[in-house]
Structures are given as structure tokens and as C-alpha cells.
Amino acid sequence: MEAADSMKIAVILIVLLPLVGFITTLLFGKRMGGKAHIVPVALVTVTAALAVYAFGWVFQHQEEPFVWDAFSWIVAGRYHASWGFQVDTLTGIMLLVVGIIGMLTHYYSIGYMRGDGGYYRFFAYLNLFMFAMYMLILADNFLLLFLGWEGVGLCSYLLIGFWFDRKSASQAGKKAFLVNRVGDFGFTLGMFLVLVTTGTLQFAGVFDKAETIGAGTLLWICLLLFTGAVGKSAQFPLHVWLPDAMEGPTPVSALIHAATMVNAGVYMVARAYPLFAQSETAMLVVMVVGTFTAIFAACIAITQNDIKKVIAYSTISSLGFMFMALGAGAWVAGIFYLFVHGFFKGLLFLCSGSVIHAMGGEQDMRKMGGLRTRIPVTFWTMLIAAVALVGIFPLSGFWAKDEILGGAFAHGYYVVWLVGIVTAFLTAVFAFRMMFMTFWGESRADAEVQAHIHESPKVMTVPLVLLAIPAAAVGAVVGWPPEAGWIHRFLDPVFFAVEHEEFEWLGTGGALMAVSLAVALLGVYLAYVLYLRRRELPERLAARVPWAYEASLRKMYMDDIYEVVPVRSTIAFSRFLWTGFDVHVIDGAVNGIARLWGWFGDRLRPLQTGRVHNYAFGILAGALALVVIVGWVWGI
């Protein structure tokens, strides 16, 4: 069998097996009860192995991406859309992230969701998500990518509101769905503009014509596509859905809202690199939005008390870092951070789920403490993830984060670099605030909760340990030496026109890394002072600047603003259409006609007397009137 034929089989199985798992589990899973996970977990394990195989194939054929038009999908006049797949080095990176983290999350879910009434339904939804995500990253055209894009959005809605009997969960699911509709509407308009301008939605055809598209049209294409990325990757101002999405089960947060789906926006912008690279204005918009979102979310995370929401705002901030890199022209650095972020952020969420599992469902860090000796595996793996997130040498976050900051500095974006440094400092503070409040000090939990605190079962802890390995080491493995590591050479065929800055280990580059590391360590030390040594200081600081504390605690009032502007204004406008237009104009017209005929009926009713001589007189009068009219008309 030729290599291309084996790749066709691998690609089609990667896509189809999760879909088969979804259908099978949805139809028969309820009968299987506690064993409903067997089929979906087995199939996602096979797809993970196939994803690794596909990565190995593209590793050996870096300059020759695999492209396959499986069959014609839509034929309408001159327009033709194929159901086609593309596997290049960028796809290979995404396959590793989605395949490995997706598989480990499925195994973790066996323990986390055990005993839940919707056990089978949860695994069915997870498999459907894997199908949609694989479609998104394997597509060779915008239309098929959009199919996967909407598919992961649907799964997000289903999984956020999985516990639909809770009002907060169902509301969060609807919020995610509606906010993403705003971004997806922009993405749809962008695709239409691409089709009208280039006559195709195939990546190859569109990108080949990128240099011939007018500057104004190209800017609009990029901005509309980026609108979709802003919604899907939770960037300001469409970020508000992601923190509320923590209402879903924790494995959902790890798989969808940290490691895979929210990265789809970053992936799409990177995939459309030939378009964005031709528009400096579009690149500037991407960089500004990402930079602002990074520090904005970090300022909110620093006061949150729900352990999952701290990590959620951390995710929003990290995604901002990725867009900062893409907008600054550090394309490889952005994807490098996406790659390592998937491992350590997925690990953070799964560890938080293990903490919640140990605490009997408690998520408030103010009711935790002293857990490092009670749940040691969770503690050590979460510590690795937190250190990686902060970017402390030599863990993976250090290499990727510093390349982003170094790329911004090297391209002359000094303000962006400074904002990034401040964001890195805040990240260190809130990450270790979370660690100190959760694992150090005395337990603040109720006596009944403390009596039942225990380490999670091995089906949950083993995935934590396995994720901790790449979270710790993968950055140095693929990113060393800085700006010239393996991942840079690997992604060169995709970002073909990117010039990597020469990294001076003992010069400017080394100094930037030293500054970044020092800032991160300073943030950790500040968190240590505030939340371990002098725990009265946070309350005193909050009392001294109550406006700042209140703004951060209330998420910069973004939910309040949305409640007033889009929500209440829409309700008020709808009420006006109902009471003003519908009732008075539409119903008024219909009812007015009815009343008019009623008035005529009232006037004519006295003519119906029931007396024969009255009717005979009426007939005679009518006949005479008819004779007179006819005579007048004919001039008789």
C-alpha cells in the first residue's frame, strides 16, 4: 500500500470513528449503563493513535502536504465545493494537541462522571465534539472548516448546559451559543466576501490570489474572519461566555474550553496567514485586540474565588498572548504557545476537577486549603502546570511565552512587550494565589467535607501524570534553541515568508528572557507574601482601593454592560414592537377592519324588521332607483 493510500485511510478513520462512537453511544449507551464509555473511549484511543500516525507522516513529508479531495460536496453552476482534507505541518501540530488531550480527557471522564445520570450522553457528546474538531483542522477549504467550526459550537452548547436541570448551566449554554453567533455571523460574511472576490473557498485557490486582492477588500476579509476568531477564542469584547462555560463538567473545560475549541480561532487566523500577512492594518487589529485581552483578563483573574473561573480567565489571557504573537508577525511563536498551552492548561483544568472531586463539589478557594498532603498527585501535577503557565525556566511555558515577548520586542512593538511583561507578572500572582489558597495553610472546609477529602482514582490521576510530562518538557524539546528550534523548522513550509530573528543568547535575547523570568518570579513571591505570609494584606489592599477591587471582582462590569446595552435594549425594543407596533398597528388594523364592519352591521341591522310589506316596499324603491340610474346613464 502506498503512503498516500495509507494516509487516506488514516484521515477518513480519524474523522469517522468519533462520529460512529457518537451515534452508537447515543442509541445504545443508556442500556450499557456504567459501561457506556467503552465504545467512545476505545474509538477515540484509536483516533489518537491515527493522529500520531498522521503527524509522523507529515514529519517525514514536511515539504509535501497531503491533500485529498474525497468527493464533490456542492456543485452549483460554476461553484464547486469538495469534501477535501489537507494535512500539513500546522495540521500535524493540531492533530497532536487534539488527539492526545482528547483521549486523556475521555479516560479522565470515566472517573469524574461516574454515577452521573447522563453518563452515556456525556461520552456521546464528547465523541461528537472530537468529530467536529477533527473536521475543522483537517479541512482544505473554508466551507468545510466552517462545518467543523459550527459543530464544535454546537457541542460546546450541549456540554456547557449538560446539567440542564441547573438554571445557571442552561443559562451559560445559551450565553455561549448567542455570543458565538455574533462572531460566527462575521465569519460567514467573511467567507461570502472571499467567495465573491476569488471565486473559490479552497485554501489553495484563495491564498494564491491573496496578492491580487485590493487592499480595502482584503482588510474587510481579514477583519470579518477575525470577528469569528474573537468569538470562538473568547477575545474582548466577546470573551464573556467562557467564564460562565465553567458551569459544565470539568472535563469539558479541559477539552473544549482550554485545549482545543478555543484554539480554533487562533488556528483559523494562522491558517489564513497568506491573507493577514498582506494587510498591515489587519495585523495591527489582531495584535491590539490580543494584547488588550491578555492584560484585561489577567486583571480580572487576580480576584476571582472560583478555582475554575481563575483558570478560565487565564485561558482568555493566554489566547490573547497567541493573538498578540500572530499580529506582531511572530507566527511560529503563536502556534508554539498554542501547542504547549494545550498541555499545561488542559492539565490545570483536569487538576482543578480533581480538587473539586476531592472537595465534594466545592469550587470556592476560600473554603479550601491544606490539600497538598491530602491529594499529593493532584498537587504536584497542578504545581507543574502552574509553573509552566507562569513561564518559569525550564518548563514549557517559559520557552513559548518568551518567544512571543521577544518577537514583539524584535519587531519594534515596545508597548506591546511592556504590556506582555505586566501580564506575565499578573499571571504569576493569580496562578500562585490559586495554588497557595488551595494547597497551603490550614483547611477552611467544613468538618464534614474534610472527613471525605481523598485523592482521585487512578483513572483520573494517571491522565494527570501523563499530561504533566509534556507540560513540563515539550517546550524545551521543540523550542530549543530559541527562534531556531525544531518547531520553527517544522512550521517553515506553512509560514513560508516569515523571517526568524537571530537570537543572541548572551545579548538582547538573553536579557529579555532574564527580565521575563525575573518578573515571573517576582509575581510568585508577591503571591507568597499576600496569601501565605501576611494574609491580612489582600483585605487591606482591597479596602484601600475598593473601586479597583470591585471592578476586578465584578469582571470589569462587562456582564452588567451587556445586561444594559444589548440585553435590556433588545428587550425594550421587542416590547415596543409588541405593544406599539404589533398591538396598535398590526392588530389595530385587523381589529379596526372588524370594528368597521361591525359599525356597518349596526347601521344596517334596523333594516331587518321581519315584516313582508317593508321588504316589498324596499324592493319597489330599489327597482325605481335602478330605473332612474339606467335612464340617466343612457340619456333616456
Side-chain angles (χ1 to χ4, degrees):
M1 182 183 296
E2 295 184 3
D5 293 333
S6 64
M7 270 297 290
K8 289 180 181 180
I9 296 173
V11 166
I12 201 66
L13 288 177
I14 287 173
V15 172
L16 284 183
L17 289 181
L19 183 61
V20 171
F22 162 70
I23 296 172
T24 304
T25 308
L26 197 64
L27 293 177
F28 307 109
K30 193 171 184 178
R31 300 178 187 176
M32 300 177 68
K35 296 182 179 180
H37 62 271
I38 293 177
V39 172
V41 170
L43 292 180
V44 86
T45 303
V46 175
T47 58
L50 292 170
V52 173
Y53 169 80
F55 174 82
W57 190 94
V58 78
F59 181 81
Q60 296 177 335
H61 303 83
Q62 297 179 27
E63 300 293 338
E64 304 173 10
F66 171 80
V67 180
W68 175 36
D69 283 343
F71 57 87
S72 293
W73 182 18
I74 299 173
V75 178
R78 291 183 297 174
Y79 176 69
H80 170 261
S82 64
W83 196 282
F85 302 100
Q86 172 178 310
V87 182
D88 57 12
T89 54
L90 178 58
T91 310
I93 292 289
M94 293 297 296
L95 283 173
L96 278 186
V97 173
V98 174
I100 293 174
I101 298 177
M103 178 187 67
L104 293 177
T105 302
H106 273 69
Y107 280 100
Y108 176 94
S109 299
I110 297 173
Y112 192 88
M113 298 300 293
R114 177 68 67 187
D116 190 275
Y119 189 71
Y120 80 97
R121 184 164 49 89
F122 182 79
F123 280 97
Y125 291 164
L126 282 188
N127 261 214
L128 180 62
F129 169 80
M130 294 297 290
F131 160 74
M133 194 66 201
Y134 279 131
M135 285 300 309
L136 190 156
I137 61 178
L138 287 168
D140 75 340
N141 61 83
F142 280 108
L143 191 59
L144 195 56
L145 182 150
F146 188 69
L147 176 67
W149 185 278
E150 290 300 291
V152 295
L154 169 65
C155 294
S156 179
Y157 167 75
L158 294 173
L159 288 165
I160 292 171
F162 179 77
W163 288 317
F164 53 82
D165 53 339
R166 302 180 186 175
K167 184 176 181 181
S168 57
S170 61
Q171 293 287 80
K174 288 186 285 187
K175 184 176 183 179
F177 182 81
L178 292 173
V179 172
N180 272 276
R181 296 289 65 72
V182 177
D184 292 355
F185 180 66
F187 190 13
T188 305
L189 293 179
M191 288 198 304
F192 280 133
L193 190 54
V194 167
L195 179 60
V196 170
T197 305
T198 65
T200 182
L201 290 174
Q202 296 291 126
F203 291 150
V206 173
F207 299 156
D208 286 344
K209 298 178 181 178
E211 295 183 358
T212 65
I213 302 174
T217 302
L218 184 62
L219 175 61
W220 275 109
I221 288 174
C222 292
L223 292 181
L224 289 170
L225 293 178
F226 182 59
T227 302
V230 167
K232 194 67 72 183
S233 293
Q235 296 296 283
F236 181 88
L238 300 181
H239 66 283
V240 292
W241 67 271
L242 185 57
D244 287 9
M246 300 304 106
E247 290 291 339
T250 301
V252 175
S253 304
L255 177 63
I256 296 183
H257 304 127
T260 55
M261 188 194 88
V262 291
N263 288 333
V266 180
Y267 167 76
M268 186 269 289
V269 172
R271 174 59 70 196
Y273 149 77
L275 298 176
F276 282 86
Q278 297 294 324
S279 176
E280 292 185 6
T281 305
M283 294 278 284
L284 180 63
V285 170
V286 173
M287 181 178 64
V288 170
V289 170
T291 303
F292 178 78
T293 302
I295 193 168
F296 180 82
C299 289
I300 297 175
I302 207 165
T303 61
Q304 301 302 305
N305 295 310
D306 185 316
I307 188 171
K308 287 175 67 177
K309 287 193 175 181
V310 173
I311 306 174
Y313 278 106
S314 165
T315 299
I316 296 171
S317 182
S318 296
L319 291 164
F321 257 101
M322 296 176 205
F323 283 113
M324 178 198 301
L326 300 185
W331 295 91
V332 176
I335 298 302
F336 183 17
Y337 195 53
L338 181 154
F339 182 51
V340 300
H341 172 267
F343 294 107
F344 66 69
K345 189 58 62 68
L347 176 59
L348 269 177
F349 267 116
L350 293 183
C351 286
S352 72
S354 184
V355 170
I356 295 167
H357 183 269
M359 296 293 295
E362 182 60 65
Q363 297 184 198
D364 192 333
M365 296 186 299
R366 293 171 296 184
K367 298 180 181 180
M368 298 180 185
L371 292 178
R372 73 181 188 279
T373 57
R374 306 288 298 274
I375 48 174
V377 176
T378 301
F379 163 68
W380 285 109
T381 52
M382 194 166 187
L383 181 62
I384 290 172
V387 172
L389 168 66
V390 170
I392 295 177
F393 181 86
L395 273 68
S396 58
F398 169 79
W399 306 99
K401 181 199 69 177
D402 277 56
E403 282 209 7
I404 293 175
L405 295 175
F409 191 91
H411 287 86
Y413 300 115
Y414 303 119
V415 174
V416 173
W417 173 81
L418 181 60
V419 173
I421 286 292
V422 174
T423 304
F425 172 76
L426 294 174
T427 301
V429 174
F430 72 67
F432 274 84
R433 170 183 178 264
M434 174 182 66
M435 295 298 298
F436 292 139
M437 289 182 69
T438 303
F439 293 102
W440 269 268
E442 297 180 359
S443 177
R444 299 176 295 278
D446 297 334
E448 184 179 350
V449 174
Q450 290 191 44
H452 295 90
I453 293 176
H454 61 283
E455 184 63 272
S456 299
K458 287 187 178 181
V459 75
M460 294 172 64
T461 56
V462 170
L464 300 185
V465 174
L466 293 177
L467 270 179
I469 297 171
V474 75
V477 171
V478 305
W480 175 263
E483 294 290 352
W486 169 84
I487 195 167
H488 300 83
R489 299 190 302 273
F490 187 68
L491 290 173
D492 270 344
V494 177
F495 306 117
F496 49 85
V498 174
E499 296 181 4
H500 302 302
E501 301 293 331
E502 184 178 350
F503 189 88
E504 301 174 3
W505 179 250
L506 298 177
T508 305
L512 291 175
M513 296 178 79
V515 169
S516 177
L517 181 59
V519 165
L521 292 173
L522 181 62
V524 173
Y525 178 73
L526 180 60
Y528 167 74
V529 171
L530 292 176
Y531 299 101
L532 217 54
R533 283 187 56 188
R534 302 187 61 184
R535 297 178 186 172
E536 77 282 359
L537 282 180
E539 290 187 9
R540 290 168 57 184
L541 287 173
R544 182 164 295 184
V545 284
W547 57 271
Y549 173 76
E550 189 69 15
S552 175
L553 186 64
R554 296 186 60 179
K555 311 165 191 175
M556 300 301 177
Y557 305 103
M558 286 301 298
D559 284 337
D560 303 276
I561 293 171
Y562 276 117
E563 178 69 23
V564 172
V565 181
V567 176
R568 291 187 184 177
S569 59
T570 301
I571 293 174
F573 182 62
S574 301
R575 186 173 288 113
F576 163 74
L577 291 177
W578 168 40
T579 59
F581 190 76
D582 189 54
V583 172
H584 292 96
V585 178
I586 298 177
D587 288 352
V590 174
N591 295 332
I593 293 172
R595 283 193 293 269
L596 176 63
W597 287 111
W599 181 85
F600 276 117
D602 291 339
R603 304 287 82 78
L604 295 174
R605 189 177 294 114
L607 299 178
Q608 300 296 327
T609 63
R611 296 177 179 177
V612 175
H613 62 273
N614 286 345
Y615 298 151
F617 177 77
I619 294 172
L620 177 61
L624 290 175
L626 183 61
V627 169
V628 171
I629 293 171
V630 172
W632 178 75
V633 171
W634 290 94
I636 299 174

